[in-house]
Amino acid sequence: MRLELEKRPERSTLMALLSPVIAIALTLVTGAVLFAALGQNPAVALYMFFIDPLTASWSLQELVVKATPLILIGVGLAVCFLSNTWNIGAEGQFTAGALAGSMLPILLPGFESFLTLPLMLLMGIAGGMLWGGIPAFLKVRFGTNEILTSLMLVYISQLLLDWLVRGPWRDPEGFNFPESRVFSDAATLPALADGRMHVGAIFAVIAVLALSVVLLKTLKGFEIRVLGQAPRAGRFAGFSRNKIIVFAFLLSGGLAGLAGISEVSGSVNQLTPVISPGYGFTAIIVAFLGRLNPIGIFFSGFLLALSYLGGEAAQVTLGISDKTTRVFQGLLLFYVLACDTLILYRIRFTRPGVSAKGA
Amino acid sequence: MTVDDTTNPQHGVVGERRGTVLLDARGITKRFGEILANDTVSLTLRAGEIHALLGENGAGKSTLVKILYGALDPNAGDLVWQGQTVTIASPAEARALGIGMVFQHFSLFEALTVAENIALALPPGQSFRALSERIRQVSRDYGLTLDPSAIVADLSVGVRQRIEIVRCLLQEPKLIIMDEPTSVLTPQEADQLFVTLERLALEGCAILYISHRLEEVQRICHHATIMRHGKVVMECDPTKETAGSLARLMVGSAVHDLKRGVVPREGDVRLALKDLSAEAEGPFSVAIENIDLDVRAGEVVAIAGIAGNGQSELFELVSGERLSSSADAVTIGAVPMGRAGITKRRRAGAAFVPEERLGHGAVPGLKLSENLLLTRHSTGDGLVQGGFLKRDRAGALEQRIKTNFDVRMSHDDPEARALSGGNLQKFVIGRELDRQPDVLVVNQPTWGVDAGAAALIRQELIDLSRNGAAVLVISQDLDEIFEIADRIAVISRGKLSDAIPAQKLTRERVGLLMAGLDEDSGGAGDAA
């Protein structure tokens, strides 16, 4: 018996929907094997990892807090990936947005008005756009590889953050801890419930709805898809590849920046040397798992947020390293990309010798 | 224009053929779907002979050569190599027998050196130093100067071809197949190549030389096999033929009935190219030089030419996918459009159909109703309003094109990649004809399309022009050109000849122009 991949005449709609489901199932099976190898009861471990976090109000709110940046960044990245633009540096744009937005409460702590928050958010968006604009400019002007430049800018922004909170932006009353001053109430995103859930979640919902409309209903969305799938046909249609590169980077950078400032202002309330558990990178998985579709990304954002919570829970209750989270995320991306093959191909078993030769 | 299709090979003047028979291909047949690419083709190659394989695009030359080189399996026929029947299942087996091939497009890693590139193609186990020394020696012996340590990216196209040839020679082949080796060379580089080939032949190597350029073939080849529509139509000694007789044999003349209608009295100029020039964009791109052409309302003008002589470059300049350096270079209607993008040109009443259906004329993974938007999103069809797509209108329009142009599909509104070539071509052309454009520019309208669809498309093009549009057709198919064109111009190496009324032209003359020769005055490049 031999396994062959046979090309389908068209994309299979069924497989496009089933592929993430199969991928999640395979991830769980592989995870169970891994837990068993670590000497844990797989059923208990999977329960602690994926179900237990959904049983308490505080952890459900925590789920929303973690899903918010993943979804905001994920929908922006979907626009990039659909247009065949490879922004791998959302983590850097997230950090740049957090830095730019935090300037106001840190450098002008006395400026407390109803304008403080809107200004911070706008500055956060602008910071993310600026950071995303750099690889876009380099690509359009010099033809550099945006994967490398956007990724390298991640490290620059993280080191910049590190330097700022240890140096010029360190809290003067903070006993020399590497932290900025705590934001005033006027610079804090309002909470949505009794826990840590904040208004940022609403931004994520708005972004999902707005981009759904743009991608499916407008000429801009059509342009993005055409240029992503067939650049030559895009040029024939009169669309500009360079313009779309800039558009995609500014949009995804702006959304990542908004996620950054929302995270800092809504749940951390100050700058610390590390402000993200890798949201910008995890959002790449979120985008693909959600089929690069904003609605799909809404759900996959929650799933990946759950993997963060599960990792913490597993560490506390089972004593497993929280690096397990990374393992699960990696497995998931691996299986999603592998299963996506089935959208355009079907698997066929052939017996050796039967395949026609010559005729 | 009087030679009919022949079923059996004629024999022209064949001189005494010397040399022992190296490869005898007998009754080779290869079928792709309904198309017979090779129909009982026989070919005999002798040691020490430079053997030309002539034919138009689609005549079956490439298929035959791929079979000889083991890249394709024949459906029927035998290959006899040095007296023994063999099966050549892969290029590696061909090389083991002693058959080498130099491809038209090179397969070299630009970032590596000459020696590294060659080492990659040879069996492992040789010391690099020894290899470099052998490269130096072989290249010196054959007058193919090469520096083994040079980086490929820095080398000209001619030198890159030398690498391919040296790589081939290092395997000490008995037969070398060369696929249009001069198509990318300057005349001087070509001269050098001929010296090398003659030297190889003297040493007893057989060379199968594929070309469209009759002048070259007459100059260096000892024997020629001419193919048309998958069959061998003639074998001859090219030095004893005229370029004219060779051209006529290559081109043939099958006649189909199309309703030509009456050419209306001379209409206004709708599309004008004036001193249109553009530099080559890469090593495989052709420079466009001072092209002048007027296309009037009511007529079909055809541009004939062999692939790769600047057709796609010209198309991009006319369509606006690439901008000209001056606005006056391209005029649509009465408006200079040389600096305007493709959308503006479409709004001015022009429509374009590129050669590649999938990936250029249509996006494979989008539905037909979405592919409709590709060229008509801004042409006033109401498919987009306020930036929002009107999918119901696009769907209705897709239905209209499907009915009017007989586009057959297995279910409603499929992805473009699910259609057969002919049906997708009917859709892509129908999408533009449905607009009733004033100017239509179409590149290879019936490339790879079955005869029925081709006839329908050609009739549509004629009808469009008779209704008052200016139609410019770029084609390699002379049958097609003589069927539909009122005037014919020929493109060769980026230059365009004058457009001459079709009645005043013979296939022979067009064939000569296509091969870059013109015995009459008023040749390529003169202003109209």
Side-chain angles (χ1 to χ4, degrees):
Chain A
M1 289 285 266
R2 203 160 59 122
L3 208 64
E4 268 187 4
L5 283 178
E6 186 182 70
K7 194 157 191 197
R8 298 173 193 267
E10 290 186 69
R11 284 168 60 91
S12 157
T13 326
L14 178 69
M15 270 302 160
L17 291 172
L18 271 186
S19 158
V21 178
I22 300 173
I24 291 169
L26 288 171
T27 306
L28 291 180
V29 172
T30 315
V33 173
L34 281 176
F35 282 134
L38 286 170
Q40 301 283 343
N41 178 339
V44 174
L46 286 176
Y47 176 85
M48 293 313 293
F49 210 98
F50 289 108
I51 310 290
D52 191 53
L54 300 175
T55 53
S57 161
W58 72 268
S59 58
L60 281 174
Q61 287 201 38
E62 199 60 26
L63 191 67
V64 175
V65 169
K66 292 214 156 36
T68 296
L70 289 177
I71 294 170
L72 271 175
I73 302 171
V75 289
L77 289 183
V79 170
C80 285
F81 299 156
L82 281 172
S83 66
N84 207 12
T85 307
W86 296 97
N87 180 4
I88 306 298
E91 183 81 4
Q93 293 138 27
F94 177 94
T95 310
L99 284 177
S102 305
M103 261 192 238
L104 208 56
I106 293 175
L107 298 180
L108 293 173
F111 177 65
E112 293 184 38
S113 86
F114 66 98
L115 278 176
T116 314
L117 260 180
L119 272 177
M120 280 169 65
L121 293 176
L122 287 178
M123 286 164 70
I125 293 172
M129 288 172 89
L130 175 75
W131 219 248
I134 298 169
F137 170 77
L138 291 174
K139 167 125 186 139
V140 170
R141 184 72 181 74
F142 302 107
T144 51
N145 183 328
E146 77 273 26
I147 298 177
L148 292 178
T149 49
S150 63
L151 183 62
M152 290 190 291
L153 280 163
V154 171
Y155 307 117
I156 296 177
S157 67
Q158 286 175 339
L159 291 171
L160 186 64
L161 167 68
D162 194 76
W163 173 71
L164 283 170
V165 294
R166 289 174 201 278
W169 286 10
R170 190 174 51 195
D171 185 0
E173 290 128 46
F175 309 103
N176 264 346
F177 279 106
E179 292 168 349
S180 77
R181 68 171 74 237
V182 177
F183 296 179
S184 66
D185 282 352
T188 303
L189 276 184
L192 281 180
D194 56 345
R196 299 207 315 135
M197 192 162 70
H198 55 81
V199 172
I202 296 174
F203 301 154
V205 172
I206 295 173
V208 164
L209 294 177
L211 280 175
S212 295
V213 172
V214 168
L215 285 175
L216 294 173
K217 306 270 182 205
T218 68
L219 186 61
K220 195 77 193 167
F222 179 69
E223 186 178 339
I224 288 165
R225 278 178 294 143
V226 167
L227 282 167
Q229 291 181 33
R232 215 156 160 224
R235 196 167 58 145
F236 183 62
F239 301 145
S240 155
R241 173 105 186 92
N242 282 349
K243 277 186 195 158
I244 218 71
I245 290 171
V246 172
F247 174 83
F249 261 105
L250 291 184
L251 181 80
S252 61
L255 284 170
L258 177 63
I261 188 57
S262 301
E263 174 76 8
V264 169
S265 151
S267 54
V268 194
N269 256 308
Q270 64 182 158
L271 284 180
T272 54
V274 175
I275 52 171
S276 153
Y279 288 133
F281 294 116
T282 307
I284 298 172
I285 307 173
V286 170
F288 278 107
L289 188 65
R291 322 278 69 207
L292 303 183
N293 173 320
I295 306 287
I297 287 167
F298 182 78
F299 291 106
S300 63
F302 276 95
L303 185 69
L304 269 298
L306 183 59
S307 76
Y308 278 119
L309 289 190
E312 288 169 13
Q315 188 176 27
V316 173
T317 53
L318 304 174
I320 303 173
S321 160
D322 69 346
K323 293 279 187 293
T324 326
T325 301
R326 291 291 178 85
V327 174
F328 268 105
Q329 293 180 349
L331 281 173
L332 198 53
L333 180 63
F334 173 80
Y335 281 125
V336 172
L337 295 179
C339 291
D340 276 0
T341 311
L342 296 175
I343 298 174
L344 209 50
Y345 293 85
R346 63 167 68 93
I347 293 177
R348 228 176 36 146
F349 295 97
T350 48
R351 289 199 191 84
V354 176
S355 71
K357 190 183 178 293
Chain B
M1 300 187 56
T2 50
V3 178
D4 287 319
D5 262 293
T6 46
T7 19
N8 295 314
Q10 301 174 342
H11 281 271
V13 192
V14 180
E16 184 91 346
R17 289 181 72 185
R18 282 162 299 149
T20 52
V21 174
L22 196 61
L23 177 69
D24 203 5
R26 294 174 188 162
I28 300 290
T29 298
K30 178 70 186 175
R31 183 184 285 280
F32 294 110
E34 291 171 19
I35 298 162
L36 260 182
N38 276 182
D39 186 357
T40 52
V41 170
S42 295
L43 181 75
T44 307
L45 301 176
R46 291 165 188 270
E49 185 181 73
I50 304 182
H51 189 129
L53 187 57
L54 291 168
E56 284 190 296
N57 284 64
K61 302 181 310 261
S62 301
T63 305
L64 179 60
V65 161
K66 279 182 189 158
I67 289 170
L68 298 184
Y69 193 56
L72 279 178
D73 263 348
N75 294 128
D78 290 317
L79 293 175
V80 181
W81 174 256
Q82 294 184 314
Q84 299 213 311
T85 307
V86 290
T87 337
I88 305 176
S90 71
E93 287 184 26
R95 285 195 293 268
L97 287 175
I99 302 175
M101 181 154 178
V102 176
F103 290 93
Q104 187 179 4
H105 287 224
F106 313 141
S107 47
L108 297 171
F109 293 96
E110 295 208 345
L112 301 184
T113 65
V114 171
E116 284 165 342
N117 263 290
I118 291 177
L120 279 172
L122 296 178
Q126 269 205 66
S127 95
F128 204 68
R129 185 185 295 262
L131 179 66
S132 296
E133 194 39 52
R134 270 187 74 201
I135 293 170
R136 265 201 201 89
Q137 192 187 334
V138 169
S139 62
R140 203 166 41 229
D141 286 355
Y142 290 93
L144 297 161
T145 325
L146 266 188
D147 172 9
S149 59
I151 304 278
V152 170
D154 302 332
L155 301 176
S156 73
V157 177
V159 179
R160 290 183 196 200
Q161 189 184 51
R162 279 185 216 156
I163 304 173
E164 294 265 349
I165 296 174
V166 168
R167 178 155 82 180
C168 187
L169 290 178
L170 282 175
Q171 294 161 6
E172 289 165 8
K174 299 188 180 78
L175 165 64
I176 300 180
I177 303 169
M178 307 201 89
D179 190 3
E180 307 210 18
T182 55
S183 60
V184 291
L185 298 186
T186 64
Q188 294 74 21
E189 287 171 331
D191 284 340
Q192 273 188 331
L193 175 69
F194 298 153
V195 173
T196 306
L197 293 184
E198 274 159 4
R199 159 108 199 244
L200 280 165
L202 275 179
E203 289 176 0
C205 188
I207 294 162
L208 183 61
Y209 188 90
I210 303 170
S211 182
H212 296 289
R213 300 192 195 281
L214 305 174
E215 182 195 24
E216 284 170 19
V217 167
Q218 288 194 299
R219 185 168 146 196
I220 63 163
C221 293
H222 308 121
H223 192 78
T225 298
I226 301 171
M227 290 184 73
R228 174 159 26 108
H229 299 316
K231 290 179 181 160
V232 172
V233 290
M234 177 153 143
E235 285 194 56
C236 63
D237 180 345
T239 54
K240 307 233 164 82
E241 300 286 326
T242 65
S245 62
L246 289 174
R248 202 164 48 231
L249 279 160
M250 264 171 67
V251 167
S253 62
V255 180
H256 302 284
D257 276 346
L258 282 187
K259 294 188 202 73
R260 291 293 298 269
V262 192
V263 187
R265 57 178 181 76
E266 195 154 272
D268 301 331
V269 174
R270 286 276 168 80
L271 171 68
L273 310 181
K274 209 170 131 198
D275 199 18
L276 177 65
S277 297
E279 283 171 16
E281 284 183 314
F284 296 112
S285 161
V286 177
I288 295 296
E289 294 176 43
N290 316 100
I291 286 184
D292 288 289
L293 183 70
D294 286 345
V295 187
R296 294 173 180 276
E299 70 170 349
V300 178
V301 173
I303 295 182
I306 291 155
N309 272 283
Q311 287 94 329
S312 40
E313 290 83 355
L314 177 62
F315 179 84
E316 289 189 347
L317 287 163
V318 175
S319 70
E321 286 173 275
R322 198 174 154 196
L323 299 184
S324 316
S325 44
S326 91
D328 292 328
V330 179
T331 305
I332 292 169
V335 189
M337 283 277 179
R339 301 289 304 156
I342 188 165
T343 303
K344 276 192 182 156
R345 298 188 196 195
R346 285 199 180 106
R347 282 192 183 134
F352 310 97
V353 181
E355 176 180 7
E356 295 258 344
R357 292 182 277 269
L358 279 180
H360 193 173
V363 182
L366 292 185
K367 292 176 188 301
L368 289 187
S369 61
E370 294 180 299
N371 267 301
L372 197 62
L373 281 162
L374 210 57
T375 61
R376 297 183 62 169
H377 57 79
S378 303
T379 48
D381 296 301
L383 300 180
V384 177
Q385 277 184 352
F388 282 85
L389 308 178
K390 296 286 165 197
R391 287 183 185 273
D392 46 339
R393 288 194 196 164
L397 203 51
E398 186 254 340
Q399 288 293 322
R400 188 164 92 198
I401 291 168
K402 174 184 153 184
T403 317
N404 291 351
F405 297 92
D406 187 30
V407 182
R408 290 172 208 168
M409 48 191 82
S410 53
H411 61 95
D412 214 34
D413 203 11
E415 288 173 11
R417 64 173 143 228
L419 289 190
S420 72
N423 277 309
L424 185 57
Q425 187 69 6
K426 283 192 270 185
F427 173 77
V428 169
I429 291 190
R431 176 175 68 187
E432 308 308 320
L433 291 176
D434 178 78
R435 279 180 56 203
Q436 299 178 320
D438 295 332
V439 175
L440 177 68
V441 182
V442 43
N443 191 2
Q444 314 300 352
T446 60
W447 184 243
V449 167
D450 63 87
L456 184 130
I457 289 170
R458 289 171 191 165
Q459 188 65 57
E460 294 284 355
L461 294 178
I462 293 173
D463 293 350
L464 179 73
S465 75
R466 298 308 179 249
N467 288 330
V471 178
L472 178 62
V473 176
I474 304 172
S475 177
Q476 294 166 44
D477 182 342
L478 276 187
D479 288 345
E480 168 168 280
I481 286 177
F482 274 100
E483 273 178 54
I484 65 175
D486 300 306
R487 288 191 296 143
I488 300 172
V490 176
I491 190 165
S492 176
R493 294 184 192 252
K495 291 181 184 158
L496 191 71
S497 73
D498 294 343
I500 299 166
Q503 311 90 294
K504 293 189 186 163
L505 274 174
T506 60
R507 278 160 198 278
E508 187 179 332
R509 172 94 191 281
V510 175
L512 284 172
L513 284 165
M514 282 167 67
L517 299 168
D518 187 14
E519 44 206 22
D520 293 19
S521 55
D526 288 358

